[in-house]
Amino acid sequence: MRFRTACSLLGCLLGAALIISLLGGFSASPGPEPGLIHTEKHDLRSVPLARGLEHPWGMAFLPEGGILISERPGRLRIFQNNQLSQPIAGLPEIARQGQGGLLDVALHPQFSSNRLVYFSFAEPGSGGFGTAVGRARLDGQQLNDLEIIFRMEPKSTTGRHFGSRLVFDQQGYLYITLGDRGDQQRAQQPDDHAGSVIRLHADGRIPADNPFVDRPGWKGEKYDLGHRNMQGAALHPQTGELWTHEHGPQGGDEINIIRPGSNYGWPVITYGVNYGIGTKIGEGTHKPGLVQPIHYWVPSIAPSGMTFYQGDKFPHWQGNLLVGALKDQLLVRLELDGDKVVAEERFLQNKLGRIRDVREGPDGYIYLLTDEADGGLYRLEPAS
């Protein structure tokens, strides 16, 4: 009796499965790919490459393969052959102070022959801390012939708004983006590096055609003024102009095209407001003689890292601007028409972590760093 009952039950189950299949409710086709990310123009997946990075901040691709990665507590490491190296020796003293520490890293345009690595960091000294830039020769796991080619003046004791990104242009000039160090008025001071883009020769000399070089009372290294805290910078692939983005206060994150001698307005004009209380900062959003951003975000996305995509792995994104965001842990894709943003898409929200840096690799894939105590290096690949 029990045997017949079991067989009847099995027959019922098989019959039900057959009916569901005939009705189209049951399919043998594979389900969605694990980790698949849908976007408007490409489906993609994120591939974790490395974990265990402590607040990674910047990266640079070595011509022989491998990626240099900076960690804010003061370590520089190489990711190669699917593993992270031990910390590279030879860095200077680095202050881990609030948002400061070891920040961006970049290679000299002739790195293949001279092996020069550049890095920005919070430097301790008289008066507190300030963003500095060093360069040294990479020899295996050692940095040699260290030079400090730039020091922000004056230093201060706050732990906020160090910047900073490092970008070489097509003529070999080095651009350094700086924050206002948490003191708004410094961004408008001619004799203060804070809140400015700095332009130097690769050895730290001041170019003779910098806009303020012969103006009494001005720092000759300054290329512009009026920024709050720039943590993204990239060269436009067609025009060669430097584009940057910066954190606003509560609202008012901006993208700007950097032009010599220009004043970008902070804190006189801004689309942001004071934290918590929402009161106005400065004189409003516009003022004659002060440059408007080409794009801004209200509410803030807390942007960090930026790249123009030029590769062939995501052909429908060519010429788009990709921006990492700490808030909501997302990636922003901006479509451009000249110097105008005509469309915006957001994806990866809360999937990987706080995106600190975004770069296109020499292989055409997109690489991301997440700013966490257990941060990671990820590669975005087409899903197909």
Side-chain angles (χ1 to χ4, degrees), residues 140-153:
Q141 290 291 114
Q142 175 74 40
L143 291 173
N144 295 313
D145 305 323
L146 173 68
E147 301 175 86
I148 307 302
I149 64 167
F150 171 77
R151 288 183 165 97
M152 173 189 276
E153 295 177 351

Side-chain angles (χ1 to χ4, degrees), residues 199-261:
R199 179 178 181 252
L200 301 172
H201 288 289
D203 60 3
R205 290 177 296 117
I206 301 173
D209 60 349
N210 269 11
F212 308 121
V213 71
D214 293 323
R215 191 177 298 186
W218 286 73
K219 296 282 191 188
E221 298 93 340
K222 289 169 74 81
Y223 197 65
D224 70 356
L225 69 161
H227 299 283
R228 185 172 182 269
N229 192 25
M230 293 174 282
Q231 293 189 340
L235 283 188
H236 191 285
Q238 277 76 51
T239 67
E241 290 181 306
L242 181 70
W243 290 40
T244 69
H245 66 56
E246 64 189 80
H247 293 266
Q250 187 173 308
D253 302 337
E254 297 182 359
I255 294 178
N256 291 293
I257 301 175
I258 303 305
R259 290 174 177 141

Side-chain angles (χ1 to χ4, degrees), residues 290-313:
L290 303 183
V291 179
Q292 282 291 301
I294 67 162
H295 190 68
Y296 63 90
W297 287 279
V298 176
S300 295
I301 65 167
S304 187
M306 179 166 71
T307 191
F308 288 95
Y309 185 73
Q310 295 295 298
D312 59 359
K313 298 298 190 295

Side-chain angles (χ1 to χ4, degrees), residues 61-341:
F61 295 88
L62 297 168
E64 63 269 23
I67 307 172
L68 272 176
I69 300 174
S70 61
E71 294 175 274
R72 187 155 48 87
R75 291 184 295 272
L76 187 63
R77 302 167 77 178
I78 299 175
F79 175 78
Q80 193 164 22
N81 299 323
N82 296 317
Q83 60 184 4
L84 285 167
S85 72
Q86 292 298 310
I88 293 171
L91 287 170
E93 182 184 0
I94 294 171
R96 183 177 180 179
Q97 179 74 9
Q99 298 169 359
L102 182 60
L103 303 172
D104 207 13
V105 58
L107 305 181
H108 189 282
Q110 281 79 52
F111 175 83
S112 294
S113 57
N114 63 28
R115 306 294 294 178
L116 287 175
V117 174
Y118 291 70
F119 50 90
S120 56
F121 65 104
E123 181 188 48
S126 177
F129 315 92
T131 305
V133 176
R135 73 171 186 174
R137 208 172 307 279
L138 179 63
D139 182 12
Q141 290 291 114
Q142 175 74 40
L143 291 173
N144 295 313
D145 305 323
L146 173 68
E147 301 175 86
I148 307 302
I149 64 167
F150 171 77
R151 288 183 165 97
M152 173 189 276
E153 295 177 351
K155 290 180 167 62
S156 61
T157 57
T158 68
R160 302 188 300 278
H161 301 182
F162 291 87
S164 73
R165 293 292 172 188
L166 304 176
V167 177
F168 282 97
D169 73 6
Q170 296 163 350
Q171 290 74 46
Y173 292 108
L174 174 64
Y175 294 85
I176 306 161
T177 70
L178 300 177
D180 66 6
R181 296 293 284 109
D183 184 348
Q184 298 179 5
Q185 302 309 316
R186 291 184 65 179
Q188 291 292 326
Q189 299 306 310
D191 59 349
D192 193 325
H193 289 130
S196 298
V197 173
I198 302 300
R199 179 178 181 252
L200 301 172
H201 288 289
D203 60 3
R205 290 177 296 117
I206 301 173
D209 60 349
N210 269 11
F212 308 121
V213 71
D214 293 323
R215 191 177 298 186
W218 286 73
K219 296 282 191 188
E221 298 93 340
K222 289 169 74 81
Y223 197 65
D224 70 356
L225 69 161
H227 299 283
R228 185 172 182 269
N229 192 25
M230 293 174 282
Q231 293 189 340
L235 283 188
H236 191 285
Q238 277 76 51
T239 67
E241 290 181 306
L242 181 70
W243 290 40
T244 69
H245 66 56
E246 64 189 80
H247 293 266
Q250 187 173 308
D253 302 337
E254 297 182 359
I255 294 178
N256 291 293
I257 301 175
I258 303 305
R259 290 174 177 141
S262 296
N263 187 335
Y264 293 85
W266 175 256
V268 181
I269 60 171
T270 177
Y271 287 88
V273 296
N274 282 302
Y275 285 108
I277 55 177
T279 53
K280 185 175 76 170
I281 297 171
E283 301 177 22
T285 59
H286 293 69
K287 186 174 182 179
L290 303 183
V291 179
Q292 282 291 301
I294 67 162
H295 190 68
Y296 63 90
W297 287 279
V298 176
S300 295
I301 65 167
S304 187
M306 179 166 71
T307 191
F308 288 95
Y309 185 73
Q310 295 295 298
D312 59 359
K313 298 298 190 295
F314 301 97
H316 299 298
W317 289 358
Q318 286 185 355
N320 290 181
L321 191 62
L322 300 176
V323 176
L326 304 171
K327 184 181 177 183
D328 295 329
Q329 306 176 11
L330 54 83
L331 191 64
V332 179
R333 181 181 63 86
L334 299 174
E335 295 181 21
L336 306 173
D337 181 6
D339 60 1
K340 293 181 173 57
V341 174

Side-chain angles (χ1 to χ4, degrees), residues 337-354:
D337 181 6
D339 60 1
K340 293 181 173 57
V341 174
V342 295
E344 175 175 335
E345 181 185 16
R346 302 181 182 193
F347 54 97
L348 288 180
Q349 185 168 359
N350 298 320
K351 290 185 178 296
L352 301 180
R354 291 158 42 88

